[in-house]
Amino acid sequence: RENSRGRFIKIAEVNRHNRSTVIVPESGWSNMRAILDEFIAKSEDTPMTLGAGAAMGVATMGTGGAAGARGGAGGKPKVKAEQPPVPTSGKQLWVENLPYTTETGSLRSLFAVYGDLESCEVLKWRSGRSRGTATVRFLRKADAASAIDDLDGFELGGRNIHVRYDRFGNDDEDADDDAAATAAAAATAG
């Protein structure tokens, strides 16, 4: 691409929950080429596994800059560190990329197929407009895991929704799943 400041390469990585963009100006292309050549040479010698780039010690450009990850022309590129897992209850899910027309009732119906729900809420702005995200809380961990397996990437209203464990849904990690689920099921049955 090119803008008023010159030519550049824009590289975007999109995974399930994040988007990272690296912009490399023309002055950093040879630096980037050297990094890629080094990575390719090492990957041909080493079988690739999850996170193998960081394990092999290959430098990556980072997510915030260009030409050596804002280190300047002679700066060292940053090595991307793996993130530790975030503790969750295993029962509360975060749903994103929902169509803005999605209502709580229809979302509840979609997720209720996988098990008893404790709560389901489509999040809204103060104006009342949907944020395109929701939280869904199951009574059992196994039901939440099944919902993630089946619904992550599911097309709803022309959009592929993303479903993952909610980072902030860890308030009752030590609670007994079966006892809580049995009590809730008895309450709804009676």
Side-chain angles (χ1 to χ4, degrees):
R1 295 185 176 186
E2 189 169 351
N3 64 15
S4 62
R5 295 196 282 179
R7 296 188 324 165
F8 63 93
I9 297 173
K10 183 177 182 181
I11 303 168
E13 173 193 20
V14 180
N15 62 28
R16 292 169 70 177
H17 310 293
N18 298 316
R19 179 183 178 96
S20 300
T21 304
V22 176
I23 297 177
V24 183
E26 190 170 16
S27 62
W29 291 359
S30 61
N31 219 5
M32 184 176 159
R33 173 75 186 248
I35 291 169
L36 291 173
D37 287 343
E38 180 184 352
F39 178 80
I40 291 168
K42 286 186 179 184
S43 68
E44 289 172 350
D45 297 334
T46 307
M48 294 300 285
T49 60
L50 186 62
M56 291 188 309
V58 175
T60 61
M61 294 299 289
T63 59
R70 295 214 187 263
K76 289 186 177 181
K78 295 181 181 178
V79 176
K80 187 176 181 182
E82 289 198 26
Q83 297 294 320
V86 177
T88 70
S89 68
K91 296 190 283 184
Q92 185 160 312
L93 306 180
W94 177 256
V95 184
E96 54 190 22
N97 202 35
L98 289 169
Y100 295 113
T101 56
T102 304
E103 295 294 329
T104 297
S106 61
L107 192 67
R108 179 179 286 276
S109 298
L110 178 65
F111 279 86
V113 171
Y114 297 93
D116 295 326
L117 298 179
E118 185 177 318
S119 64
C120 178
E121 179 184 11
V122 173
L123 303 177
K124 299 186 184 260
W125 296 106
R126 287 183 186 166
S127 65
R129 182 174 181 254
S130 170
R131 292 183 179 212
T133 58
T135 58
V136 178
R137 187 172 186 85
F138 283 89
L139 292 175
R140 291 180 210 86
K141 291 179 182 181
D143 297 339
S146 294
I148 289 174
D149 289 342
D150 289 353
L151 295 178
D152 186 39
F154 179 78
E155 186 176 323
L156 181 64
R159 300 181 81 166
N160 291 333
I161 64 172
H162 303 291
V163 183
R164 65 168 169 80
Y165 290 110
D166 188 356
R167 286 176 251 218
F168 303 106
N170 61 351
D171 57 345
D172 65 345
E173 287 184 69
D174 298 325
D176 183 16
D177 273 351
D178 294 329
T182 303
T188 56

